[in-house]
DNA sequence: GCTGATATATAACATTTTGTTATATAAAGT
DNA sequence: ACTTTATATAACAAAATGTTATATATCAGC
C-alpha cells in the first residue's frame, strides 16, 4: 500500500506543531481527520511515528529521518505549482523567433526587452535570416514565430499581414527635405535606391512611377530597407522604404517624409499551424503587433 | 484548487506514452479513469496540456515544462519510499553508542563492522568514556546505547545485565600456565594485578581469596581489564579478568585459564527509557548480546 | 464519401478516501 | 477527586477515484 499526499501533510503538520489538534487547525480540518490520517500513515510505513512524552508528541528517530525527505517532496510540489502559475500567467517559457535581419537589430530588441521585463522566467531565441529560410523554419516548427515580408501565404502557416506605411527618405541636406510631402514627380531627377526588382514592393513602386509617367531613375538595388537607409544617410540618393526602417534612422543623417501616393509595405507574422499554440507566442505576437501600430497603414488595415 | 498526485501520474503516463489508452494500461486502471483525471488536471492548471497531432498526443510547450518538474516530484516520492523501506528494514539511521574504553578498541569494532555491513545506510557514533559519563549521557539521551560494568541501575534507564565469565591470565612462560584450571590457592605467591579496590568486582574477588584463606598479594591496581591484560602480556604478574578481555589478548604474550571459583563479571547494556525505541537500537543490542554468548557465565544467566 | 477499427470522451453508478459530528478514553493540572 | 485538554473511535456524509456501457471523433482502406 502506498502513502498519500494527505497523509504526508498530516505527518508533517503534526511533527512541526507537536500536537494532533494543532496540526488539524493548521490543515483546516477536524482533529479526528488528522488522527486517522496519522494512524493510516503509521500503518503503511510500518513503524511508530511519534512517542508521547509528557504532553507533547515527539517524532521517533525514524520519523525524524523521514521528515526531511517529506519536506523535499513538498518543496518539489511547490516548485511545480510556481511553474504552473508562471506558465499560466505567461511569465515562464521559451520563445523562438525568426526574423528579417533588419528587425533583429532595430525594432525587435526594443519590443523584446519590454516584453521580457514583465516575464522574468521567459527566454528567447532570436534568429535573423532570409525570408525563405524563415518560412522553412516555421513550417518545420523549429521556430514559434517568424517576421518577414513579401509573403504570399503557405498552408502550414498561420499568417497575420500588416500593411506598414512607407516613407521617402533623403539625405539631411537634400533640397527636397524642405518639402512636407514627397510626390513621385519630385523624384524625377533623383537617383533612386530601391529593393530587388523581383520583389512585390518594387513592382508596386514601379507601378506608381509608371502611372505618373515618371521614369524611375534606378541607381542601387538593395536587399534590405536598412541598407537603403544606410546609403541615404551617407548622403547618396533617395529611397522609398518602410516607415518602420525609416524611423530607426531618423536623425542619423537622413530625413523621412510621407510619400505620395500612399504606398504600403506588407509585413507578415508567421506561426506554424499546430493544434495548441503556446500561449506565450500568442502573447508575444499581440505585443509585437501593438508595437507596430504607429507605422500601420490605416486605410489598408484589413485584419482584426 | 490543488492538483492531486493521481492527476500528476496520469499526466506523466500520458505524456510518456503518447496516448491515454496506453497510460491507462500502464497505471493499471481503465481508460475513462485516466481521461477524467487528465480533464480535471487541465482544469486546475488552467491551460491545455496536449494537442492532438495526427493520431498521437503531444504535450504542449507549457506541458513540457511541467513534465520535468513533475518527474522531480515523483523522484522525491521515490526517495521517501526508499528511505521508509530502509528505516523499516533497519538499514538506515544513526546509532550513538557510549562504551567503556576497553570495548571501543577490541570487541565492539568487530561486532559493528558486521552489523554495518548489512546496513549500508546506517552510521554510528562510538564514544568511549568512564562509566559515570556513560550513565549521564544515556540519561540525557545524548546516546542510544551504553555499554558499561559495575552498574547498579537507574530509574531513567532500561538495563540488560549480562554475567560474563572470568579467566585467570598469566604470562606465556609462567609455570602455572601448565595447569588447565587456576584455583585461588595457586595464586598464593603471585603478584596480582587487579581492578580498583572500590569496584564490586574487586570485592567479589577479595571474598574468594578470603574464603580460601589465601592472602591477595596486591601488586598493581588498574582501572581497566585491558590494562591488566597488557601488563600480564609483558610478563608481569597475574590477573583475573573478564573472559572478553582475556580473549582479545590470547596469543599476544599471555595465556588465559578458567578460574576457580567460577566468578562472574557483570556487564550492563543501558538505554534511555523513552516511549518508542529506535528499532535500529533494539536491533543492535540484540546483535551485541548475541556476540557475547561465548563469554556468558551460563550458570548465572538470569535474563531472557 | 463510406466503413470498420481505434482512441477518447461522457454518463451512470460502485468503491475508497477523506471529511464530518458525537462520544469515549487517557493524561495533566488544580 | 475533578476539571481540562488531547487524542482515539464510531457512525455516517461528501468527495475523489474507480468501474462498465456507450457516444463521438479520427484514421486507413475501399
Amino acid at each position: 500500500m502506498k502513502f498519500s499526499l494527505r497523509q504526508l501533510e498530516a505527518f508533517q503538520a503534526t511533527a512541526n506543531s507537536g500536537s494532533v489538534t494543532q496540526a488539524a487547525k493548521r490543515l483546516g480540518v477536524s482533529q479526528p481527520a488528522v488522527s486517522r490520517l496519522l494512524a493510516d500513515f503509521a500503518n503503511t510505513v510500518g513503524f511508530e511515528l511519534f512517542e508521547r512524552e509528557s504532553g507533547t508528541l515527539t517524532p521517533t528517530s525514524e520519523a525524524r529521518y523521514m521528515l526531511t525527505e517529506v519536506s523535499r517532496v513538498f518543496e518539489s510540489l511547490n516548485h511545480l505549482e510556481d511553474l504552473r502559475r508562471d506558465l499560466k500567467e505567461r511569465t515562464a517559457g521559451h520563445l523562438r523567433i525568426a526574423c528579417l535581419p533588419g528587425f533583429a537589430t532595430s525594432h525587435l530588441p526594443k519590443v523584446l526587452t519590454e516584453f521580457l521585463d514583465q516575464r522574468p522566467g521567459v527566454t528567447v531565441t532570436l534568429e535573423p535570416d532570409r525570408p525563405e529560410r524563415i518560412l522553412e523554419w516555421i513550417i518545420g516548427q523549429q521556430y514559434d514565430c517568424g517576421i518577414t515580408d513579401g509573403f504570399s501565404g503557405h498552408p502550414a502557416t498561420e499568417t497575420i499581414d500588416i500593411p506598414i506605411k512607407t516613407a521617402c527618405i533623403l539625405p539631411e541636406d537634400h533640397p527636397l527635405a524642405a518639402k512636407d510631402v514627397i510626390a513621385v514627380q519630385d523624384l524625377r531627377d533623383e537617383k533612386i535606391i530601391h529593393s530587388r526588382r523581383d520583389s512585390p514592393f518594387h513592382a508596386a513602386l514601379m507601378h506608381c512611377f509608371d502611372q505618373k509617367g515618371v521614369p524611375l531613375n534606378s541607381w542601387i538595388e538593395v536587399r534590405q530597407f536598412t541598407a537603403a537607409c544606410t546609403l541615404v544617410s551617407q548622403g547618396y540618393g533617395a529611397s522609398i522604404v518602410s516607415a518602420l526602417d525609416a524611423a530607426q534612422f531618423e536623425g542619423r543623417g537622413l530625413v523621412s517624409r510621407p510619400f505620395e501616393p500612399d504606398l504600403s509595405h506588407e509585413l507578415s507574422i508567421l506561426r506554424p499551424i499546430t493544434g495548441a499554440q503556446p500561449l506565450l507566442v500568442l502573447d508575444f505576437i499581440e505585443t509585437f503587433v501593438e508595437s507596430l501600430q504607429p507605422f500601420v497603414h490605416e486605410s489598408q488595415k484589413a485584419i482584426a
Side-chain angles (χ1 to χ4, degrees), chain A:
Chain A
M1 189 201 197
K2 262 300 221 191
F3 41 73
S4 75
L5 265 197
R6 203 70 188 138
Q7 288 171 356
L8 293 187
E9 285 180 305
F11 172 51
Q12 196 183 43
T14 306
N16 289 342
S17 65
S19 133
V20 175
T21 311
Q22 285 305 105
K25 268 187 196 131
R26 198 180 292 188
L27 295 177
V29 296
S30 68
Q31 167 265 313
V34 177
S35 226
R36 193 172 50 191
L37 281 171
L38 279 179
D40 289 351
F41 187 49
N43 257 331
T44 69
V45 299
F47 46 77
E48 289 300 312
L49 298 172
F50 294 101
E51 51 186 293
R52 165 132 275 102
E53 192 178 282
S54 74
T56 53
L57 238 43
T58 345
T60 61
S61 66
E62 283 89 359
R64 269 196 295 276
Y65 276 91
M66 304 246 308
L67 276 168
T68 67
E69 202 56 39
V70 167
S71 43
R72 220 162 273 153
V73 171
F74 286 116
E75 248 174 61
S76 66
L77 276 169
N78 285 336
H79 282 162
L80 178 59
E81 168 59 17
D82 288 349
L83 177 62
R84 184 203 65 81
R85 211 197 43 247
D86 283 352
L87 287 171
K88 187 173 159 61
E89 320 255 298
R90 278 96 137 177
T91 54
H94 187 70
L95 203 53
R96 298 162 303 175
I97 305 171
C99 69
L100 295 176
F103 279 98
T105 52
S106 56
H107 185 68
L108 203 42
K110 280 186 230 159
V111 180
L112 270 178
T113 50
E114 199 185 333
F115 185 77
L116 294 178
D117 265 1
Q118 264 129 42
R119 296 169 176 78
V122 175
T123 54
V124 171
T125 304
L126 184 61
E127 184 70 28
D129 214 307
R130 293 171 294 141
E132 313 87 61
R133 291 290 295 277
I134 293 178
L135 179 59
E136 274 173 41
W137 278 337
I138 295 296
I139 295 171
Q141 302 197 20
Q142 271 103 358
Y143 283 79
D144 300 309
C145 174
I147 298 165
T148 184
D149 64 4
F151 180 65
S152 51
H154 187 283
T157 64
E158 186 86 30
T159 311
I160 300 174
D161 290 318
I162 298 179
I164 299 291
K165 282 186 285 195
T166 53
C168 178
I169 52 173
L170 303 158
E172 256 173 353
D173 52 2
H174 195 283
L176 280 176
K179 301 195 73 171
D180 281 342
V181 176
I182 308 293
V184 175
Q185 301 89 312
D186 298 327
L187 297 173
R188 175 177 298 266
D189 299 320
E190 300 300 325
K191 300 193 222 169
I192 302 294
I193 300 162
H194 59 85
S195 44
R196 297 173 61 179
R197 279 172 228 274
D198 58 356
S199 70
F201 182 69
H202 186 67
L205 193 63
M206 284 292 277
H207 184 69
C208 294
F209 276 73
D210 282 353
Q211 279 214 319
K212 298 289 179 184
V214 179
L216 196 156
N217 194 354
S218 172
W219 184 43
I220 302 180
E221 175 179 317
V222 295
R223 266 187 164 269
Q224 293 154 26
F225 285 147
T226 44
C229 291
T230 309
L231 285 166
V232 171
S233 71
Q234 306 289 328
Y236 308 116
S239 184
I240 291 94
V241 298
S242 157
L244 207 47
D245 294 270
Q248 303 305 325
F249 280 79
E250 193 101 43
R252 286 160 62 190
L254 59 71
V255 293
S256 156
R257 295 285 178 270
F259 182 63
E260 179 59 43
D262 206 6
L263 258 187
S264 91
H265 170 245
E266 287 286 316
L267 193 66
S268 299
I269 302 173
L270 280 61
R271 57 191 166 95
I273 291 189
T274 61
Q277 285 291 329
L279 302 168
L280 190 61
V281 174
L282 302 180
D283 242 29
F284 167 72
I285 291 177
E286 192 180 335
T287 313
F288 183 62
V289 170
E290 187 69 27
S291 79
L292 294 176
Q293 281 317 304
F295 309 105
V296 171
H297 195 148
E298 294 295 332
S299 69
Q300 290 209 205
K301 206 155 66 171
I303 305 93

